[in-house]
Coordinates of all heavy atoms in Angstrom, one line a residue:
T38 N 16.9 1.7 -49.3 CA 17.8 2.5 -48.4 C 17.2 2.7 -47.1 O 17.6 2.5 -46.1 CB 18.5 3.7 -49.0 OG1 19.1 3.4 -50.3 CG2 19.3 4.4 -48.0
L39 N 16.0 3.4 -47.3 CA 15.1 3.7 -46.0 C 14.8 2.5 -45.2 O 14.9 2.5 -44.0 CB 13.9 4.5 -46.4 CG 14.2 5.8 -46.9 CD1 12.8 6.5 -47.3 CD2 14.8 6.8 -46.0
R40 N 14.4 1.4 -45.8 CA 14.0 0.1 -45.2 C 15.1 -0.4 -44.4 O 15.1 -0.8 -43.2 CB 13.4 -1.0 -46.1 CG 12.0 -0.6 -46.6 CD 11.6 -1.4 -47.6 NE 10.2 -1.0 -48.3 CZ 9.9 -1.3 -49.5 NH1 10.6 -2.0 -50.3 NH2 8.8 -0.8 -50.0
R41 N 16.5 -0.4 -45.0 CA 17.5 -1.0 -44.5 C 17.9 -0.2 -43.1 O 18.2 -0.9 -42.0 CB 18.8 -1.0 -45.5 CG 20.1 -1.4 -44.9 CD 21.1 -1.8 -45.9 NE 21.4 -0.5 -46.8 CZ 22.3 0.2 -46.6 NH1 23.1 0.2 -45.6 NH2 22.5 1.2 -47.5
F42 N 18.0 1.0 -43.3 CA 18.3 1.9 -42.1 C 17.1 1.8 -41.1 O 17.4 2.0 -39.7 CB 18.7 3.3 -42.4 CG 20.0 3.4 -42.8 CD1 20.4 3.5 -44.2 CD2 21.3 3.3 -42.0 CE1 21.7 3.5 -44.7 CE2 22.5 3.3 -42.5 CZ 22.8 3.5 -43.9
A43 N 15.9 1.8 -41.4 CA 14.7 1.7 -40.6 C 14.9 0.5 -39.8 O 14.5 0.4 -38.5 CB 13.5 1.7 -41.4
A44 N 15.3 -0.7 -40.4 CA 15.5 -1.9 -39.5 C 16.4 -1.7 -38.4 O 16.3 -2.2 -37.4 CB 15.9 -3.0 -40.5
I45 N 17.4 -1.0 -38.6 CA 18.5 -0.8 -37.7 C 17.9 0.2 -36.6 O 18.1 -0.2 -35.4 CB 19.8 0.1 -38.3 CG1 20.4 -1.0 -39.2 CG2 20.7 0.4 -37.1 CD1 21.5 -0.3 -40.1
G46 N 17.2 1.2 -37.0 CA 16.5 2.1 -36.0 C 15.6 1.4 -35.2 O 15.4 1.7 -34.0
A47 N 14.7 0.5 -35.7 CA 13.7 -0.2 -35.1 C 14.2 -1.4 -34.1 O 13.6 -1.8 -33.1 CB 12.6 -0.8 -36.0
A48 N 15.4 -1.7 -34.4 CA 16.1 -2.8 -33.5 C 16.3 -2.4 -32.1 O 16.3 -3.2 -31.2 CB 17.3 -3.5 -34.4
G49 N 16.8 -1.1 -32.0 CA 17.2 -0.7 -30.8 C 16.0 0.1 -30.1 O 15.3 0.7 -30.7
P50 N 16.1 0.4 -28.7 CA 15.2 1.3 -28.1 C 15.3 2.6 -28.5 O 16.4 3.1 -29.1 CB 15.5 1.1 -26.6 CG 16.9 0.6 -26.6 CD 17.1 -0.1 -27.9
L51 N 14.2 3.4 -28.5 CA 14.3 4.7 -28.9 C 15.1 5.6 -27.9 O 14.7 5.7 -26.7 CB 12.8 5.4 -29.1 CG 12.7 6.9 -29.4 CD1 13.3 7.1 -30.8 CD2 11.3 7.3 -29.2
V52 N 16.2 6.0 -28.3 CA 17.1 6.7 -27.4 C 16.4 7.9 -26.9 O 15.8 8.8 -27.7 CB 18.4 7.0 -28.0 CG1 19.3 7.7 -27.0 CG2 19.2 5.8 -28.6
N80 N 6.8 7.1 -40.4 CA 7.5 6.2 -39.3 C 8.7 5.6 -40.0 O 9.8 5.6 -39.3 CB 6.5 5.1 -38.9 CG 5.4 5.7 -38.0 OD1 5.5 6.8 -37.7 ND2 4.4 4.9 -37.5
E81 N 8.6 5.0 -41.1 CA 9.9 4.4 -41.8 C 10.9 5.4 -42.0 O 12.1 5.2 -41.8 CB 9.3 3.7 -43.1 CG 10.5 2.8 -43.7 CD 10.1 2.1 -44.9 OE1 9.9 2.7 -46.0 OE2 9.9 1.0 -44.8
T82 N 10.5 6.5 -42.5 CA 11.6 7.5 -42.8 C 12.3 8.0 -41.4 O 13.5 8.0 -41.5 CB 10.9 8.9 -43.5 OG1 10.3 8.4 -44.7 CG2 11.9 9.9 -43.8
R83 N 11.5 8.3 -40.4 CA 12.1 8.5 -39.2 C 12.9 7.5 -38.6 O 14.1 7.7 -38.0 CB 11.1 9.1 -38.2 CG 10.6 10.4 -38.6 CD 9.7 11.1 -37.5 NE 9.0 12.3 -38.1 CZ 7.8 12.7 -37.7 NH1 7.3 12.2 -36.6 NH2 7.3 13.6 -38.4
E84 N 12.5 6.2 -38.7 CA 13.3 5.1 -38.1 C 14.4 5.0 -39.0 O 15.7 4.7 -38.4 CB 12.4 3.9 -38.2 CG 11.3 3.7 -37.2 CD 11.8 3.6 -35.8 OE1 13.1 3.4 -35.6 OE2 11.0 4.0 -34.9
A85 N 14.5 5.2 -40.3 CA 15.7 5.1 -41.2 C 16.7 6.3 -40.7 O 17.9 6.0 -40.6 CB 15.3 5.4 -42.7
I86 N 16.2 7.5 -40.4 CA 17.1 8.6 -40.1 C 17.9 8.1 -38.6 O 19.0 8.2 -38.4 CB 16.3 9.9 -40.0 CG1 16.0 10.3 -41.4 CG2 17.4 10.9 -39.2 CD1 15.1 11.6 -41.4
R87 N 16.9 7.6 -37.8 CA 17.4 7.3 -36.5 C 18.5 6.1 -36.5 O 19.5 6.1 -35.9 CB 16.4 6.9 -35.6 CG 16.6 6.8 -34.1 CD 15.3 6.9 -33.3 NE 14.5 5.7 -33.5 CZ 14.6 4.5 -32.9 NH1 15.7 4.4 -32.0 NH2 13.8 3.7 -33.1
G88 N 18.1 5.2 -37.5 CA 19.2 4.0 -37.6 C 20.5 4.5 -38.3 O 21.5 4.1 -37.9
Y89 N 20.3 5.5 -39.3 CA 21.4 6.0 -39.9 C 22.2 6.7 -38.9 O 23.5 6.6 -38.9 CB 21.0 7.0 -41.0 CG 22.2 7.5 -41.7 CD1 22.7 6.8 -42.8 CD2 22.7 8.8 -41.3 CE1 23.8 7.5 -43.5 CE2 23.7 9.4 -42.1 CZ 24.3 8.7 -43.1 OH 25.4 9.2 -43.8
V90 N 21.7 7.6 -38.1 CA 22.5 8.4 -37.1 C 23.2 7.5 -36.1 O 24.3 7.6 -35.7 CB 21.6 9.4 -36.4 CG1 22.3 10.0 -35.3 CG2 21.1 10.5 -37.5
A91 N 22.5 6.3 -35.8 CA 23.1 5.3 -34.9 C 24.4 4.7 -35.3 O 25.3 4.3 -34.6 CB 22.1 4.4 -34.4
T92 N 24.4 4.5 -36.7 CA 25.6 3.7 -37.4 C 26.4 4.7 -38.0 O 27.5 4.3 -38.3 CB 25.0 2.8 -38.4 OG1 24.2 3.6 -39.4 CG2 24.1 1.7 -37.8
T93 N 26.2 5.9 -38.1 CA 26.9 7.0 -38.7 C 26.9 8.3 -37.8 O 26.6 9.4 -38.3 CB 26.5 7.4 -40.1 OG1 26.2 6.1 -40.8 CG2 27.7 8.0 -40.9
P94 N 27.3 8.1 -36.5 CA 27.2 9.3 -35.6 C 28.2 10.5 -36.1 O 29.3 10.1 -36.5 CB 27.6 8.8 -34.3 CG 28.4 7.6 -34.6 CD 27.9 7.0 -35.8
L101 N 23.8 13.0 -44.6 CA 22.5 12.2 -44.2 C 21.6 12.2 -45.3 O 21.0 11.1 -45.6 CB 22.0 12.7 -42.9 CG 20.9 12.0 -42.2 CD1 20.9 12.4 -40.7 CD2 19.5 12.6 -42.7
L105 N 20.5 8.9 -47.6 CA 19.2 8.2 -47.4 C 18.4 8.7 -48.5 O 17.2 8.3 -48.7 CB 18.6 8.8 -46.1 CG 19.2 8.2 -44.9 CD1 18.5 8.7 -43.8 CD2 19.2 6.7 -44.9
L119 N 12.6 14.6 -34.8 CA 13.4 13.7 -34.0 C 14.3 14.5 -32.8 O 14.4 14.0 -31.8 CB 14.4 12.9 -34.9 CG 13.7 11.8 -35.7 CD1 14.7 11.3 -36.8 CD2 13.3 10.7 -34.8
A124 N 15.1 12.1 -29.6 CA 15.5 10.9 -30.1 C 17.1 11.0 -30.6 O 17.8 10.1 -30.6 CB 14.7 10.5 -31.2
I125 N 17.4 12.2 -31.2 CA 18.7 12.5 -31.7 C 19.1 13.9 -31.1 O 18.3 14.6 -30.7 CB 18.8 12.4 -33.1 CG1 17.9 13.5 -33.8 CG2 18.5 10.9 -33.6 CD1 18.1 13.4 -35.3
P138 N 23.1 10.1 -31.9 CA 22.0 9.5 -31.0 C 22.0 10.3 -29.7 O 23.0 10.6 -29.2 CB 22.5 8.0 -31.0 CG 23.5 7.9 -31.9 CD 24.2 9.1 -32.3
R141 N 24.4 9.4 -26.0 CA 25.3 8.5 -26.2 C 26.8 9.0 -26.1 O 27.7 8.2 -25.6 CB 25.2 7.7 -27.4 CG 26.0 6.5 -27.6 CD 25.8 5.8 -28.8 NE 24.3 5.2 -29.0 CZ 23.9 4.6 -29.9 NH1 24.7 4.2 -31.0 NH2 22.7 4.2 -29.9
Y221 N 33.0 2.4 -35.6 CA 32.3 3.0 -36.8 C 33.1 2.9 -38.0 O 32.8 3.7 -38.9 CB 31.7 4.5 -36.3 CG 31.0 4.4 -35.1 CD1 31.4 4.9 -33.9 CD2 29.6 4.0 -35.1 CE1 30.6 4.9 -32.8 CE2 28.8 4.0 -33.9 CZ 29.3 4.4 -32.8 OH 28.5 4.4 -31.7
S224 N 31.5 3.2 -41.6 CA 31.0 4.6 -41.8 C 32.0 5.6 -42.3 O 31.8 6.6 -42.9 CB 30.2 5.1 -40.7 OG 30.8 5.5 -39.6

Side-chain angles (χ1 to χ4, degrees):
T38 300
L39 291 178
R40 286 171 188 155
R41 177 161 58 91
F42 283 104
I45 296 170
L51 179 62
V52 180
N80 286 357
E81 184 174 73
T82 301
R83 288 192 195 156
E84 288 295 343
I86 292 174
R87 196 161 62 84
Y89 180 88
V90 170
T92 56
T93 318
L101 184 153
L105 292 180
L119 288 166
I125 63 175
R141 185 176 300 180
Y221 301 106
S224 73

